[in-house]
Amino acid sequence: MRSDSASTRSRARRPGRRAALALGAVGLVVAALAGIDLAGRAPAPSTPTIALEPLPGAGPFAPALQVRLERAAATVDAREPPRTRQRGADGTPRYTNRLILESSPYLLQHAHNPVDWYPWGDEAFARALIEHRPVLLSIGYSTCHWCHVMEEESFDDAEIAAYLNANYVAIKVDREERPDLDTTYMEAVLTLNGNGGWPMTVWLTPTRQPFYGATYIPARDGDRGTRVGFLTLLRQLRATYDENPLRVAQQADAVTERVRALAAPPPGDTLPGADVLRRAFAEYAATFDDAHGGFGGAAKFPAPAALEFLLRYHRRSGDARALAMVTRTLEAMAAGGIHDHVGGGFHRYATDAAWEVPHFEKILADNAQLAMAYLDAYQVTRRQDFADVAREILDYVAREMTAPEGGFYTATDADSDGREGAFFVWTPAEIRDVLNPGMAAAVLAFYDVDERGNFDGATILHAPRPLDTVAHELGSDPERLRFVLSEARRALYERRARRPRPRTDTKIVTAWNGLMISALARGGAILGVPKFIEDARAAARFLLDARGAEGRLPRSVTGGMPRGDAFLDDYADLAAGLLDLYEATFDPAWVRAALALHATLAARFWDAGQGGFFATADDVASTLARRKPDDDLPAPSGNAVAAESLLRLAEFTGDETPRRRAEDTVRALAPALGRAPTRAPRLLGVVDFLLDRAREIVIVNPGVGDDPRLVRTAYARFVPNRVLVVAREDELAAQAALMPWLADKRALGGRSTAYVCTRGACELPTSDPAVLDRQLADVALLPRD
């Protein structure tokens, strides 16, 4: 990322000019916030208002802004109950701050804090500069449990708010809306103390440079065993800022330089070879948990990109250990409490090594990636249980996370009814109240539910023993028990729906929707579920329709309105989803749309000097540094996804330009990949693609008497480095305009005919599914470096 500031010290020498520039921006922002029409028109009548108290320790808002806040509060609070314990005698919130004017569900959660919050923007930093205040930056997201805890303990506390308002400028950021800020300041926090997470709490200078950082901080000394609480830390760091500004400036400069160095590492000059894949496999094997699956100990996160890489490695190397690591992990997660056995889908992570006790939020991006991991494993192993889990994930998303207009919501909360996990846990009495005695006995035995529980006196459903074992103990046939459990889950789901539900963050984030479009399109094709494909198609249309000027995507859509500039991962993930949607529908419009998105990436995100894509467009103001993403933790990096799609586009179109850009991307990121290969498993997959004989598969149907077995065969086989085209013979001429290599393909003898080609050189065409399967099973083993 580009720098947007000089050092703290050099800025401090010219406060007058900086203040003048900032005040120009502030004037426009304040006018907008106050409802002032610069052309002189009076604001239109609005909704009724509610009276609000001044924020503790802060001066009064400008009268026009106060009116806007009161009107907004009346509207917003009618839609969603406010989150605050600071209430008047009539039960309405005592305080409202500027966040009530925002659209982010996370920012709105903090709109009734007594803190004088600002959204990220020039106005806040201009005030900090003029008033010589440090900035307190808090970054989180709406379904983050510990973000809620810090809000309740600190940001909703009148004493802490009064000190914060009198001594700082406080800024709140939704990390899902501004991943650029989240990544930049997370690097700073990691540099400062070696640990990161959310909520992220960062102290900044007015020039946006970090000089101290932490994550969750208990409110006061001694709380939760901490020595120094948040209020004391606020006082100490304000005193340091006032009494030792040179020390603060030096610290801020040092951290900023480190962040900039991490954002722009020197590029490589050669493409990685197979050795980096072998080293990555060895690292995964060394940290694998043989007992419970996954990597490392508690807390344990799903690692879908790592599992995909291991399946690729197994395919190219034949190493049985790689496949065993994948199957053990997927089995253990599916059996564990991290899996929502009643409603489908997976929680964010497990707090223990055995996947039993989760952190209960459910994230769209996680579930998209896990659905694809289970689909891949199903293709490799043909295990129906893996297909069933993938189907349950996609059913859950279609049922509970899909917006009426198309697109998918971001996440659901960990908390409900004031308690973490309350929506998901059960006691034996609750289960017996829902089910007949036989069903209840089966559920209690299989899901290990007893009076002790495993979470605050209740039980998170999990399946520690095989179904056959439990069936034998109950004197039941395994298939009968499977049916009984299925019916029981349906009844428990209906009863659970009556409970207070976790909040849903209804933002529609473009990147995460791209991941889910891929999962649904692939799931619909592999599992034979047309509705999944239709859901993917509706989401793709919704996002493409949300484009603005010059075809630019929004970062998100909230309340039907596009919000913010899209980032690299938004374009890359959506383009990948469109290519997967093409391979489920064979409508060439999706390939054309993907090409258009990559044209924007090339024009606005590409580093022409050193290769690779920046996270932000060239006309978007960046903070501290313009970063080039190179790791896949926790979501796939935009560079890896873009490079893979470029290779697919090269195969689809026969144009070598996308292939060269993909190679330049991998070359640019090769040093980082070489230093820490397991931090970039999706990029390892791109290396695998480059080292493989990518397949071009086309199935030509005569239009009458088409044989669906050929396309089913193509979907059934795990061939990650390939493109798939299915078309009627009379459609080939039109498709050949986009994909010239189709021009000479025919349905031989009036029968559906499959062609498997590599760089235009094709094996013998066949109408026999068994022959096609053998052709697809032919694998080029990894080369020796």
Side-chain angles (χ1 to χ4, degrees), residues 383-393 482 527:
R383 284 179 49 170
Q384 188 59 43
D385 56 332
F386 291 159
D388 291 343
V389 174
R391 187 190 303 267
E392 289 170 6
I393 294 171
R482 193 184 311 277
L527 302 176

Side-chain angles (χ1 to χ4, degrees), residues 643-727:
E644 184 177 21
S645 290
L646 286 166
L647 292 175
R648 295 171 73 184
L649 287 169
E651 298 295 336
F652 273 124
T653 65
D655 183 356
E656 287 299 300
T657 301
R659 188 186 312 279
R660 288 193 293 271
R661 180 158 283 137
E663 291 174 346
D664 289 345
T665 299
V666 175
R667 191 178 291 111
L669 303 180
L673 186 66
R675 286 191 298 272
T678 56
R679 287 190 59 82
R682 189 70 180 262
L683 192 60
L684 293 171
V686 180
V687 174
D688 174 57
F689 200 130
L690 287 168
L691 295 174
D692 199 4
R693 295 182 288 116
R695 302 299 185 86
E696 301 129 14
I697 308 165
V698 58
I699 298 171
V700 183
N701 288 317
V704 176
D706 299 347
D707 187 349
R709 295 178 301 161
L710 291 177
V711 70
R712 286 202 295 263
T713 299
Y715 285 144
R717 175 69 64 171
F718 180 66
V719 186
N721 305 324
R722 62 104 168 105
V723 294
L724 174 64
V725 177
V726 178

Side-chain angles (χ1 to χ4, degrees), residues 408-618:
F408 310 108
Y409 300 140
T410 297
T412 55
D413 211 326
D415 301 1
S416 60
D417 202 24
R419 294 180 294 137
E420 183 184 9
F423 185 72
F424 299 100
V425 298
W426 298 87
T427 64
E430 288 171 328
I431 289 172
R432 292 188 182 104
D433 185 55
V434 177
L435 305 175
N436 66 45
M439 274 190 173
V443 167
L444 296 176
F446 184 70
Y447 290 114
D448 199 27
V449 181
D450 58 28
E451 298 296 341
R452 295 169 301 173
N454 60 3
F455 190 78
D456 294 340
T459 297
I460 304 159
L461 301 187
H462 61 294
R465 296 181 298 162
L467 184 137
D468 288 359
T469 301
V470 177
H472 178 74
E473 290 180 0
L474 296 174
S476 172
D477 174 80
E479 288 308 308
R480 172 62 183 168
L481 177 59
R482 193 184 311 277
F483 172 77
V484 167
L485 292 172
S486 175
E487 292 300 302
R489 288 193 299 268
R490 194 187 318 276
L492 293 174
Y493 179 84
E494 292 174 358
R495 175 62 61 88
R496 193 176 78 172
R498 303 179 194 173
R499 296 176 173 178
R501 298 185 66 86
R503 293 189 184 211
T504 299
D505 185 325
T506 56
K507 286 194 313 295
I508 296 172
V509 175
T510 300
W512 296 7
N513 272 249
L515 294 173
M516 186 52 71
I517 289 168
S518 285
L520 284 162
R522 293 184 55 209
I526 293 168
L527 302 176
V529 183
K531 185 185 182 304
F532 293 160
I533 298 171
E534 288 306 310
D535 289 342
R537 196 194 320 255
R541 287 172 176 157
F542 174 80
L543 292 169
L544 293 175
D545 287 347
R547 287 177 292 183
E550 302 176 354
R552 300 182 72 168
L553 291 169
R555 169 60 180 175
S556 63
V557 178
T558 306
M561 297 296 294
R563 307 283 180 180
D565 295 306
F567 298 92
L568 165 62
D569 61 337
D570 297 304
Y571 285 94
D573 290 344
L574 181 55
L578 296 180
L579 294 181
D580 286 323
L581 187 53
Y582 170 78
E583 292 189 340
T585 64
F586 308 108
D587 179 351
W590 302 120
V591 177
R592 294 190 183 95
L595 285 166
L597 295 180
H598 270 276
T600 300
L601 282 179
R604 299 188 180 276
F605 293 79
W606 181 248
D607 182 352
Q610 297 187 331
F613 296 94
F614 292 108
T616 53
D618 57 5

Side-chain angles (χ1 to χ4, degrees), residues 149-155 157 160 216 218-220 224:
V149 172
M150 190 163 180
E151 176 195 10
E152 293 164 5
E153 294 177 348
S154 294
F155 301 138
D157 182 288
I160 292 175
Y216 161 77
R220 289 176 172 80
R224 300 182 185 270

